[in-house]
Amino acid sequence: MAFTDTAPTGPIDDSDAMGGVARDHLKSFVARIERLEEDKANVMADIKEVYAEVKSMGFDPKVMRKVISLRKIDRNERQEMEALLELYLGAVES
Amino acid sequence: MAFTDTAPTGPIDDSDAMGGVARDHLKSFVARIERLEEDKANVMADIKEVYAEVKSMGFDPKVMRKVISLRKIDRNERQEMEALLELYLGAVES
Amino acid sequence: MAFTDTAPTGPIDDSDAMGGVARDHLKSFVARIERLEEDKANVMADIKEVYAEVKSMGFDPKVMRKVISLRKIDRNERQEMEALLELYLGAVES
Amino acid sequence: MAFTDTAPTGPIDDSDAMGGVARDHLKSFVARIERLEEDKANVMADIKEVYAEVKSMGFDPKVMRKVISLRKIDRNERQEMEALLELYLGAVES
């Protein structure tokens, strides 16, 4: 088994089982990951809730998502992309 | 524009621009979403870090992800799925 | 097992195994799905190749992806979204 | 604009527009990509249909997806992962 050489496995009572120390490590890792995944789920629920508010205030949530995503891009690059986009679209639909 | 009828738009100084109250709402929504997206990015970085620790301790991170994902499923259902999986695989590879 | 009641299972030689007819169905389903997944992988490789050509001709592949995605949206709706986007961005960055 | 130096732009009638040759290239790229994306959508619809048949024959589509995904992995590696998975799960739930 992959981890027996490298992990501190502690006393092994059963040839097929994992040592006590390794087991404790594993349990602790699982607990930490599950707690973090819960945090992530909560944050994602909060984000969803804000978008619901956005909508209930009469704003367009889809456009709002675009605003958020565009703001991650540098303003100059954004304007250049916008110009190219119009040029391409104009050419394709001509 | 979609929101002008439903949102409290406040005094409008420019026919094409958004009213001051609507603008404040929008800014506040954007700030809240960007803060939450930062939280989400941080949590995801933490999760990634735990998996790096998992690996550095000699455990298999891929198997660990499976453990986390299987633990979300009820144990009975899990065992039933596992039995079906073996049956199908056995049949397909016979 | 879930399917034994509903699937034509044919003669069963082993109490734990799947009947011959069910096994043949399963094998045929697996073969069809694997063939289709291969087709899908080929199409995706072709798309990737076109974007590589797009780039080699001096066009911006990222903007090209946007063109493709925007063309799926009705032109009027697209222009309305574009107008809202500018309005929101303008308000947020004022 | 990014492509004007590298793409064969042909005669330009308007300083802001794209040259005729570049425009033709762009149109041809868009046509090819849109055709390929249609192919991809068709293949994906076919896959979905097979899974619907799988279900209608009394097999479990979720388990079927697992079978397909596991068959991509080498049999030895698969068995090793399975053994590790049981070991980890056993340790975590002890």
Side-chain angles (χ1 to χ4, degrees):
Chain A
M1 278 147 274
F3 59 85
T4 46
D5 299 331
T6 49
T9 42
I12 293 174
D13 354 276
D14 182 319
S15 60
D16 276 336
M18 194 181 291
V21 178
R23 191 171 56 224
D24 289 349
H25 276 128
L26 204 64
K27 283 185 178 183
S28 147
F29 283 134
V30 167
R32 282 168 66 196
I33 293 170
E34 288 182 343
R35 207 158 36 229
L36 287 166
E37 292 217 334
E38 209 182 306
D39 289 348
K40 187 182 155 197
N42 287 336
V43 175
M44 287 171 78
D46 288 349
I47 293 175
K48 210 177 153 186
E49 210 180 283
V50 179
Y51 278 107
E53 266 186 71
V54 161
K55 193 178 179 183
S56 77
M57 291 290 290
F59 296 105
D60 183 321
K62 233 156 115 184
V63 174
M64 192 66 166
R65 286 190 188 274
K66 261 199 118 24
V67 167
I68 297 292
S69 130
L70 284 173
R71 277 168 58 87
K72 291 175 191 158
I73 306 170
D74 167 83
R75 187 195 289 246
N76 287 338
E77 199 193 332
R78 209 160 79 197
Q79 284 169 346
E80 204 187 322
M81 278 185 69
E82 207 53 49
L84 273 183
L85 184 60
E86 267 173 51
L87 185 76
Y88 287 14
L89 266 177
V92 171
E93 304 196 334
S94 63
Chain B
M1 277 147 273
F3 60 85
T4 45
D5 298 331
T6 50
T9 43
I12 291 175
D13 355 275
D14 182 318
S15 60
D16 276 336
M18 195 179 294
V21 177
R23 189 171 58 222
D24 289 348
H25 276 128
L26 204 64
K27 282 185 178 184
S28 147
F29 282 133
V30 166
R32 283 168 66 196
I33 293 170
E34 288 182 343
R35 207 158 37 228
L36 286 167
E37 292 218 334
E38 208 183 307
D39 290 348
K40 187 182 155 196
N42 288 336
V43 175
M44 286 172 78
D46 288 349
I47 292 175
K48 208 177 155 187
E49 209 179 285
V50 179
Y51 278 108
E53 265 187 73
V54 162
K55 192 177 180 183
S56 77
M57 290 291 290
F59 296 105
D60 184 322
K62 233 157 116 182
V63 174
M64 193 66 166
R65 284 187 191 273
K66 266 205 114 20
V67 167
I68 298 292
S69 130
L70 284 174
R71 276 168 59 85
K72 290 175 191 158
I73 306 171
D74 166 81
R75 187 196 290 247
N76 287 338
E77 198 193 334
R78 207 160 80 198
Q79 283 169 345
E80 204 188 323
M81 277 186 69
E82 206 52 50
L84 273 183
L85 184 60
E86 267 174 49
L87 185 77
Y88 287 13
L89 266 178
V92 170
E93 304 196 334
S94 64
Chain C
M1 277 145 275
F3 61 85
T4 46
D5 298 332
T6 49
T9 44
I12 292 174
D13 350 279
D14 183 318
S15 60
D16 276 337
M18 194 180 292
V21 177
R23 190 171 57 223
D24 289 349
H25 275 129
L26 203 64
K27 282 185 178 184
S28 147
F29 283 134
V30 166
R32 283 167 66 195
I33 293 170
E34 288 182 343
R35 209 157 35 229
L36 286 167
E37 291 217 334
E38 209 183 306
D39 290 348
K40 187 182 154 196
N42 287 336
V43 174
M44 287 171 78
D46 287 349
I47 292 174
K48 208 177 154 186
E49 210 180 283
V50 179
Y51 278 108
E53 265 186 73
V54 161
K55 193 177 178 183
S56 77
M57 292 290 291
F59 296 104
D60 183 321
K62 234 156 113 183
V63 174
M64 192 66 166
R65 285 188 190 275
K66 268 204 110 25
V67 167
I68 297 293
S69 131
L70 284 174
R71 276 168 59 85
K72 290 176 191 157
I73 306 170
D74 166 82
R75 187 196 288 246
N76 286 339
E77 198 192 333
R78 208 160 80 199
Q79 283 169 346
E80 203 187 323
M81 278 185 69
E82 207 53 49
L84 273 182
L85 184 61
E86 267 173 51
L87 184 76
Y88 288 13
L89 267 177
V92 170
E93 304 196 334
S94 64
Chain D
M1 277 146 274
F3 60 83
T4 46
D5 298 332
T6 50
T9 42
I12 292 174
D13 353 276
D14 182 318
S15 60
D16 277 336
M18 193 180 293
V21 177
R23 190 171 57 223
D24 290 348
H25 275 128
L26 203 65
K27 283 185 177 183
S28 147
F29 282 134
V30 167
R32 283 167 66 195
I33 294 170
E34 288 182 342
R35 206 157 37 227
L36 287 166
E37 292 218 332
E38 208 183 307
D39 290 348
K40 187 181 155 197
N42 288 336
V43 174
M44 286 172 79
D46 288 350
I47 293 175
K48 208 177 155 188
E49 208 179 286
V50 179
Y51 277 108
E53 266 186 71
V54 161
K55 193 176 179 185
S56 76
M57 292 291 290
F59 296 105
D60 183 322
K62 231 156 119 183
V63 173
M64 193 66 166
R65 285 188 190 274
K66 260 199 120 23
V67 167
I68 297 293
S69 130
L70 283 174
R71 277 168 59 84
K72 290 175 191 159
I73 306 170
D74 166 82
R75 187 195 289 246
N76 286 338
E77 198 194 332
R78 207 160 78 198
Q79 284 169 346
E80 206 187 321
M81 277 185 69
E82 206 54 47
L84 273 183
L85 184 60
E86 268 173 50
L87 185 76
Y88 287 13
L89 267 177
V92 171
E93 304 196 334
S94 63

PDB file of all heavy atoms in Angstrom, chain D residues 32-59:
ATOM      1  N   ARG D  32     -16.985  26.576 -39.876  1.00  0.00           N
ATOM      2  CA  ARG D  32     -16.438  25.264 -39.494  1.00  0.00           C
ATOM      3  C   ARG D  32     -16.695  24.965 -38.020  1.00  0.00           C
ATOM      4  O   ARG D  32     -17.097  23.860 -37.659  1.00  0.00           O
ATOM      5  CB  ARG D  32     -14.928  25.221 -39.769  1.00  0.00           C
ATOM      6  CG  ARG D  32     -14.596  25.023 -41.241  1.00  0.00           C
ATOM      7  CD  ARG D  32     -13.133  25.294 -41.528  1.00  0.00           C
ATOM      8  NE  ARG D  32     -12.253  24.326 -40.897  1.00  0.00           N
ATOM      9  CZ  ARG D  32     -10.938  24.496 -40.753  1.00  0.00           C
ATOM     10  NH1 ARG D  32     -10.363  25.615 -41.203  1.00  0.00           N
ATOM     11  NH2 ARG D  32     -10.209  23.580 -40.177  1.00  0.00           N
ATOM     12  N   ILE D  33     -16.445  25.966 -37.167  1.00  0.00           N
ATOM     13  CA  ILE D  33     -16.649  25.743 -35.730  1.00  0.00           C
ATOM     14  C   ILE D  33     -18.118  25.466 -35.427  1.00  0.00           C
ATOM     15  O   ILE D  33     -18.448  24.558 -34.668  1.00  0.00           O
ATOM     16  CB  ILE D  33     -16.135  26.953 -34.911  1.00  0.00           C
ATOM     17  CG1 ILE D  33     -14.613  27.070 -35.032  1.00  0.00           C
ATOM     18  CG2 ILE D  33     -16.538  26.820 -33.444  1.00  0.00           C
ATOM     19  CD1 ILE D  33     -14.041  28.357 -34.472  1.00  0.00           C
ATOM     20  N   GLU D  34     -19.002  26.247 -36.069  1.00  0.00           N
ATOM     21  CA  GLU D  34     -20.427  26.047 -35.772  1.00  0.00           C
ATOM     22  C   GLU D  34     -20.915  24.674 -36.241  1.00  0.00           C
ATOM     23  O   GLU D  34     -21.753  24.045 -35.594  1.00  0.00           O
ATOM     24  CB  GLU D  34     -21.255  27.186 -36.364  1.00  0.00           C
ATOM     25  CG  GLU D  34     -21.040  28.479 -35.581  1.00  0.00           C
ATOM     26  CD  GLU D  34     -21.849  29.662 -36.049  1.00  0.00           C
ATOM     27  OE1 GLU D  34     -22.356  29.626 -37.189  1.00  0.00           O
ATOM     28  OE2 GLU D  34     -21.960  30.637 -35.290  1.00  0.00           O
ATOM     29  N   ARG D  35     -20.349  24.203 -37.355  1.00  0.00           N
ATOM     30  CA  ARG D  35     -20.719  22.860 -37.839  1.00  0.00           C
ATOM     31  C   ARG D  35     -20.216  21.805 -36.843  1.00  0.00           C
ATOM     32  O   ARG D  35     -20.941  20.878 -36.484  1.00  0.00           O
ATOM     33  CB  ARG D  35     -20.101  22.635 -39.227  1.00  0.00           C
ATOM     34  CG  ARG D  35     -20.867  21.648 -40.078  1.00  0.00           C
ATOM     35  CD  ARG D  35     -20.608  21.851 -41.567  1.00  0.00           C
ATOM     36  NE  ARG D  35     -19.214  22.221 -41.814  1.00  0.00           N
ATOM     37  CZ  ARG D  35     -18.827  23.221 -42.600  1.00  0.00           C
ATOM     38  NH1 ARG D  35     -19.704  23.956 -43.235  1.00  0.00           N
ATOM     39  NH2 ARG D  35     -17.551  23.484 -42.776  1.00  0.00           N
ATOM     40  N   LEU D  36     -18.973  21.967 -36.390  1.00  0.00           N
ATOM     41  CA  LEU D  36     -18.410  21.002 -35.433  1.00  0.00           C
ATOM     42  C   LEU D  36     -19.163  21.029 -34.099  1.00  0.00           C
ATOM     43  O   LEU D  36     -19.380  19.982 -33.487  1.00  0.00           O
ATOM     44  CB  LEU D  36     -16.918  21.289 -35.211  1.00  0.00           C
ATOM     45  CG  LEU D  36     -15.997  20.906 -36.370  1.00  0.00           C
ATOM     46  CD1 LEU D  36     -14.608  21.521 -36.208  1.00  0.00           C
ATOM     47  CD2 LEU D  36     -15.879  19.383 -36.487  1.00  0.00           C
ATOM     48  N   GLU D  37     -19.557  22.222 -33.673  1.00  0.00           N
ATOM     49  CA  GLU D  37     -20.311  22.297 -32.414  1.00  0.00           C
ATOM     50  C   GLU D  37     -21.674  21.625 -32.557  1.00  0.00           C
ATOM     51  O   GLU D  37     -22.203  21.063 -31.591  1.00  0.00           O
ATOM     52  CB  GLU D  37     -20.482  23.756 -31.982  1.00  0.00           C
ATOM     53  CG  GLU D  37     -19.163  24.379 -31.569  1.00  0.00           C
ATOM     54  CD  GLU D  37     -19.304  25.311 -30.372  1.00  0.00           C
ATOM     55  OE1 GLU D  37     -20.392  25.881 -30.190  1.00  0.00           O
ATOM     56  OE2 GLU D  37     -18.322  25.472 -29.633  1.00  0.00           O
ATOM     57  N   GLU D  38     -22.217  21.682 -33.760  1.00  0.00           N
ATOM     58  CA  GLU D  38     -23.482  20.981 -34.000  1.00  0.00           C
ATOM     59  C   GLU D  38     -23.244  19.468 -33.925  1.00  0.00           C
ATOM     60  O   GLU D  38     -24.038  18.737 -33.313  1.00  0.00           O
ATOM     61  CB  GLU D  38     -24.012  21.371 -35.378  1.00  0.00           C
ATOM     62  CG  GLU D  38     -25.524  21.294 -35.499  1.00  0.00           C
ATOM     63  CD  GLU D  38     -25.970  21.634 -36.905  1.00  0.00           C
ATOM     64  OE1 GLU D  38     -25.567  22.717 -37.418  1.00  0.00           O
ATOM     65  OE2 GLU D  38     -26.693  20.815 -37.507  1.00  0.00           O
ATOM     66  N   ASP D  39     -22.159  19.013 -34.557  1.00  0.00           N
ATOM     67  CA  ASP D  39     -21.802  17.583 -34.467  1.00  0.00           C
ATOM     68  C   ASP D  39     -21.680  17.162 -33.007  1.00  0.00           C
ATOM     69  O   ASP D  39     -22.192  16.124 -32.593  1.00  0.00           O
ATOM     70  CB  ASP D  39     -20.455  17.309 -35.163  1.00  0.00           C
ATOM     71  CG  ASP D  39     -20.554  17.444 -36.675  1.00  0.00           C
ATOM     72  OD1 ASP D  39     -21.693  17.513 -37.193  1.00  0.00           O
ATOM     73  OD2 ASP D  39     -19.490  17.480 -37.336  1.00  0.00           O
ATOM     74  N   LYS D  40     -20.977  17.986 -32.244  1.00  0.00           N
ATOM     75  CA  LYS D  40     -20.767  17.657 -30.833  1.00  0.00           C
ATOM     76  C   LYS D  40     -22.101  17.569 -30.089  1.00  0.00           C
ATOM     77  O   LYS D  40     -22.331  16.636 -29.312  1.00  0.00           O
ATOM     78  CB  LYS D  40     -19.876  18.741 -30.193  1.00  0.00           C
ATOM     79  CG  LYS D  40     -19.444  18.414 -28.785  1.00  0.00           C
ATOM     80  CD  LYS D  40     -18.600  19.547 -28.219  1.00  0.00           C
ATOM     81  CE  LYS D  40     -18.638  19.590 -26.706  1.00  0.00           C
ATOM     82  NZ  LYS D  40     -18.162  20.880 -26.184  1.00  0.00           N
ATOM     83  N   ALA D  41     -22.975  18.531 -30.345  1.00  0.00           N
ATOM     84  CA  ALA D  41     -24.288  18.513 -29.691  1.00  0.00           C
ATOM     85  C   ALA D  41     -25.059  17.258 -30.084  1.00  0.00           C
ATOM     86  O   ALA D  41     -25.732  16.645 -29.237  1.00  0.00           O
ATOM     87  CB  ALA D  41     -25.068  19.774 -30.055  1.00  0.00           C
ATOM     88  N   ASN D  42     -24.946  16.838 -31.346  1.00  0.00           N
ATOM     89  CA  ASN D  42     -25.641  15.626 -31.786  1.00  0.00           C
ATOM     90  C   ASN D  42     -25.095  14.388 -31.080  1.00  0.00           C
ATOM     91  O   ASN D  42     -25.863  13.537 -30.629  1.00  0.00           O
ATOM     92  CB  ASN D  42     -25.518  15.456 -33.301  1.00  0.00           C
ATOM     93  CG  ASN D  42     -26.373  16.461 -34.058  1.00  0.00           C
ATOM     94  OD1 ASN D  42     -27.357  16.975 -33.524  1.00  0.00           O
ATOM     95  ND2 ASN D  42     -25.995  16.748 -35.296  1.00  0.00           N
ATOM     96  N   VAL D  43     -23.772  14.283 -31.012  1.00  0.00           N
ATOM     97  CA  VAL D  43     -23.172  13.130 -30.338  1.00  0.00           C
ATOM     98  C   VAL D  43     -23.606  13.100 -28.867  1.00  0.00           C
ATOM     99  O   VAL D  43     -23.962  12.048 -28.325  1.00  0.00           O
ATOM    100  CB  VAL D  43     -21.630  13.168 -30.441  1.00  0.00           C
ATOM    101  CG1 VAL D  43     -21.018  12.046 -29.619  1.00  0.00           C
ATOM    102  CG2 VAL D  43     -21.172  13.044 -31.885  1.00  0.00           C
ATOM    103  N   MET D  44     -23.601  14.270 -28.240  1.00  0.00           N
ATOM    104  CA  MET D  44     -23.996  14.304 -26.832  1.00  0.00           C
ATOM    105  C   MET D  44     -25.470  13.912 -26.658  1.00  0.00           C
ATOM    106  O   MET D  44     -25.821  13.246 -25.675  1.00  0.00           O
ATOM    107  CB  MET D  44     -23.709  15.681 -26.241  1.00  0.00           C
ATOM    108  CG  MET D  44     -22.209  15.878 -26.015  1.00  0.00           C
ATOM    109  SD  MET D  44     -21.762  17.560 -25.545  1.00  0.00           S
ATOM    110  CE  MET D  44     -22.215  17.525 -23.804  1.00  0.00           C
ATOM    111  N   ALA D  45     -26.300  14.314 -27.607  1.00  0.00           N
ATOM    112  CA  ALA D  45     -27.712  13.899 -27.544  1.00  0.00           C
ATOM    113  C   ALA D  45     -27.822  12.390 -27.728  1.00  0.00           C
ATOM    114  O   ALA D  45     -28.638  11.732 -27.055  1.00  0.00           O
ATOM    115  CB  ALA D  45     -28.514  14.635 -28.613  1.00  0.00           C
ATOM    116  N   ASP D  46     -27.002  11.817 -28.613  1.00  0.00           N
ATOM    117  CA  ASP D  46     -27.010  10.360 -28.814  1.00  0.00           C
ATOM    118  C   ASP D  46     -26.603   9.621 -27.538  1.00  0.00           C
ATOM    119  O   ASP D  46     -27.208   8.614 -27.165  1.00  0.00           O
ATOM    120  CB  ASP D  46     -26.038   9.965 -29.946  1.00  0.00           C
ATOM    121  CG  ASP D  46     -26.562  10.356 -31.322  1.00  0.00           C
ATOM    122  OD1 ASP D  46     -27.752  10.745 -31.414  1.00  0.00           O
ATOM    123  OD2 ASP D  46     -25.794  10.282 -32.304  1.00  0.00           O
ATOM    124  N   ILE D  47     -25.556  10.136 -26.880  1.00  0.00           N
ATOM    125  CA  ILE D  47     -25.102   9.508 -25.633  1.00  0.00           C
ATOM    126  C   ILE D  47     -26.223   9.536 -24.589  1.00  0.00           C
ATOM    127  O   ILE D  47     -26.519   8.535 -23.941  1.00  0.00           O
ATOM    128  CB  ILE D  47     -23.834  10.226 -25.094  1.00  0.00           C
ATOM    129  CG1 ILE D  47     -22.642   9.997 -26.044  1.00  0.00           C
ATOM    130  CG2 ILE D  47     -23.496   9.748 -23.684  1.00  0.00           C
ATOM    131  CD1 ILE D  47     -21.383  10.766 -25.677  1.00  0.00           C
ATOM    132  N   LYS D  48     -26.860  10.690 -24.498  1.00  0.00           N
ATOM    133  CA  LYS D  48     -27.968  10.836 -23.543  1.00  0.00           C
ATOM    134  C   LYS D  48     -29.069   9.814 -23.840  1.00  0.00           C
ATOM    135  O   LYS D  48     -29.667   9.239 -22.920  1.00  0.00           O
ATOM    136  CB  LYS D  48     -28.518  12.266 -23.654  1.00  0.00           C
ATOM    137  CG  LYS D  48     -29.134  12.796 -22.383  1.00  0.00           C
ATOM    138  CD  LYS D  48     -29.583  14.233 -22.552  1.00  0.00           C
ATOM    139  CE  LYS D  48     -30.704  14.552 -21.567  1.00  0.00           C
ATOM    140  NZ  LYS D  48     -31.289  15.888 -21.831  1.00  0.00           N
ATOM    141  N   GLU D  49     -29.315   9.619 -25.123  1.00  0.00           N
ATOM    142  CA  GLU D  49     -30.360   8.681 -25.534  1.00  0.00           C
ATOM    143  C   GLU D  49     -30.002   7.251 -25.151  1.00  0.00           C
ATOM    144  O   GLU D  49     -30.865   6.488 -24.701  1.00  0.00           O
ATOM    145  CB  GLU D  49     -30.530   8.788 -27.048  1.00  0.00           C
ATOM    146  CG  GLU D  49     -31.919   8.450 -27.556  1.00  0.00           C
ATOM    147  CD  GLU D  49     -31.975   8.620 -29.063  1.00  0.00           C
ATOM    148  OE1 GLU D  49     -31.995   9.769 -29.546  1.00  0.00           O
ATOM    149  OE2 GLU D  49     -31.933   7.578 -29.772  1.00  0.00           O
ATOM    150  N   VAL D  50     -28.736   6.873 -25.333  1.00  0.00           N
ATOM    151  CA  VAL D  50     -28.333   5.517 -24.941  1.00  0.00           C
ATOM    152  C   VAL D  50     -28.550   5.328 -23.438  1.00  0.00           C
ATOM    153  O   VAL D  50     -29.060   4.297 -22.999  1.00  0.00           O
ATOM    154  CB  VAL D  50     -26.865   5.219 -25.320  1.00  0.00           C
ATOM    155  CG1 VAL D  50     -26.486   3.813 -24.872  1.00  0.00           C
ATOM    156  CG2 VAL D  50     -26.656   5.355 -26.822  1.00  0.00           C
ATOM    157  N   TYR D  51     -28.179   6.347 -22.643  1.00  0.00           N
ATOM    158  CA  TYR D  51     -28.378   6.212 -21.200  1.00  0.00           C
ATOM    159  C   TYR D  51     -29.867   6.098 -20.856  1.00  0.00           C
ATOM    160  O   TYR D  51     -30.236   5.409 -19.904  1.00  0.00           O
ATOM    161  CB  TYR D  51     -27.723   7.375 -20.447  1.00  0.00           C
ATOM    162  CG  TYR D  51     -26.248   7.154 -20.230  1.00  0.00           C
ATOM    163  CD1 TYR D  51     -25.298   7.875 -20.924  1.00  0.00           C
ATOM    164  CD2 TYR D  51     -25.795   6.190 -19.340  1.00  0.00           C
ATOM    165  CE1 TYR D  51     -23.935   7.661 -20.745  1.00  0.00           C
ATOM    166  CE2 TYR D  51     -24.439   5.965 -19.142  1.00  0.00           C
ATOM    167  CZ  TYR D  51     -23.524   6.708 -19.853  1.00  0.00           C
ATOM    168  OH  TYR D  51     -22.178   6.478 -19.659  1.00  0.00           O
ATOM    169  N   ALA D  52     -30.710   6.766 -21.630  1.00  0.00           N
ATOM    170  CA  ALA D  52     -32.156   6.625 -21.396  1.00  0.00           C
ATOM    171  C   ALA D  52     -32.590   5.192 -21.687  1.00  0.00           C
ATOM    172  O   ALA D  52     -33.391   4.608 -20.943  1.00  0.00           O
ATOM    173  CB  ALA D  52     -32.921   7.616 -22.280  1.00  0.00           C
ATOM    174  N   GLU D  53     -32.050   4.589 -22.742  1.00  0.00           N
ATOM    175  CA  GLU D  53     -32.330   3.183 -23.055  1.00  0.00           C
ATOM    176  C   GLU D  53     -31.812   2.280 -21.935  1.00  0.00           C
ATOM    177  O   GLU D  53     -32.485   1.331 -21.536  1.00  0.00           O
ATOM    178  CB  GLU D  53     -31.623   2.783 -24.353  1.00  0.00           C
ATOM    179  CG  GLU D  53     -32.468   2.899 -25.607  1.00  0.00           C
ATOM    180  CD  GLU D  53     -31.707   2.326 -26.793  1.00  0.00           C
ATOM    181  OE1 GLU D  53     -31.541   1.094 -26.864  1.00  0.00           O
ATOM    182  OE2 GLU D  53     -31.258   3.126 -27.649  1.00  0.00           O
ATOM    183  N   VAL D  54     -30.589   2.569 -21.493  1.00  0.00           N
ATOM    184  CA  VAL D  54     -29.985   1.812 -20.393  1.00  0.00           C
ATOM    185  C   VAL D  54     -30.967   1.755 -19.221  1.00  0.00           C
ATOM    186  O   VAL D  54     -31.240   0.697 -18.661  1.00  0.00           O
ATOM    187  CB  VAL D  54     -28.657   2.486 -19.953  1.00  0.00           C
ATOM    188  CG1 VAL D  54     -28.231   2.037 -18.569  1.00  0.00           C
ATOM    189  CG2 VAL D  54     -27.549   2.204 -20.965  1.00  0.00           C
ATOM    190  N   LYS D  55     -31.508   2.932 -18.896  1.00  0.00           N
ATOM    191  CA  LYS D  55     -32.440   3.024 -17.775  1.00  0.00           C
ATOM    192  C   LYS D  55     -33.729   2.264 -18.061  1.00  0.00           C
ATOM    193  O   LYS D  55     -34.250   1.547 -17.203  1.00  0.00           O
ATOM    194  CB  LYS D  55     -32.746   4.503 -17.501  1.00  0.00           C
ATOM    195  CG  LYS D  55     -33.452   4.711 -16.183  1.00  0.00           C
ATOM    196  CD  LYS D  55     -33.667   6.172 -15.869  1.00  0.00           C
ATOM    197  CE  LYS D  55     -34.398   6.304 -14.532  1.00  0.00           C
ATOM    198  NZ  LYS D  55     -34.728   7.701 -14.249  1.00  0.00           N
ATOM    199  N   SER D  56     -34.235   2.421 -19.282  1.00  0.00           N
ATOM    200  CA  SER D  56     -35.510   1.779 -19.624  1.00  0.00           C
ATOM    201  C   SER D  56     -35.382   0.253 -19.637  1.00  0.00           C
ATOM    202  O   SER D  56     -36.383  -0.456 -19.553  1.00  0.00           O
ATOM    203  CB  SER D  56     -36.015   2.278 -20.985  1.00  0.00           C
ATOM    204  OG  SER D  56     -35.280   1.658 -22.029  1.00  0.00           O
ATOM    205  N   MET D  57     -34.164  -0.261 -19.740  1.00  0.00           N
ATOM    206  CA  MET D  57     -33.956  -1.710 -19.706  1.00  0.00           C
ATOM    207  C   MET D  57     -33.744  -2.211 -18.279  1.00  0.00           C
ATOM    208  O   MET D  57     -33.472  -3.387 -18.057  1.00  0.00           O
ATOM    209  CB  MET D  57     -32.727  -2.095 -20.540  1.00  0.00           C
ATOM    210  CG  MET D  57     -32.884  -1.895 -22.032  1.00  0.00           C
ATOM    211  SD  MET D  57     -34.075  -3.080 -22.731  1.00  0.00           S
ATOM    212  CE  MET D  57     -33.128  -4.604 -22.566  1.00  0.00           C
ATOM    213  N   GLY D  58     -33.825  -1.313 -17.314  1.00  0.00           N
ATOM    214  CA  GLY D  58     -33.726  -1.732 -15.922  1.00  0.00           C
ATOM    215  C   GLY D  58     -32.326  -1.660 -15.337  1.00  0.00           C
ATOM    216  O   GLY D  58     -32.111  -2.062 -14.189  1.00  0.00           O
ATOM    217  N   PHE D  59     -31.378  -1.142 -16.104  1.00  0.00           N
ATOM    218  CA  PHE D  59     -30.033  -0.965 -15.550  1.00  0.00           C
ATOM    219  C   PHE D  59     -29.946   0.404 -14.887  1.00  0.00           C
ATOM    220  O   PHE D  59     -30.718   1.316 -15.186  1.00  0.00           O
ATOM    221  CB  PHE D  59     -28.974  -1.062 -16.667  1.00  0.00           C
ATOM    222  CG  PHE D  59     -28.911  -2.408 -17.314  1.00  0.00           C
ATOM    223  CD1 PHE D  59     -29.435  -2.604 -18.585  1.00  0.00           C
ATOM    224  CD2 PHE D  59     -28.325  -3.490 -16.663  1.00  0.00           C
ATOM    225  CE1 PHE D  59     -29.392  -3.849 -19.201  1.00  0.00           C
ATOM    226  CE2 PHE D  59     -28.271  -4.735 -17.267  1.00  0.00           C
ATOM    227  CZ  PHE D  59     -28.803  -4.918 -18.540  1.00  0.00           C
TER     228      PHE D  59
END
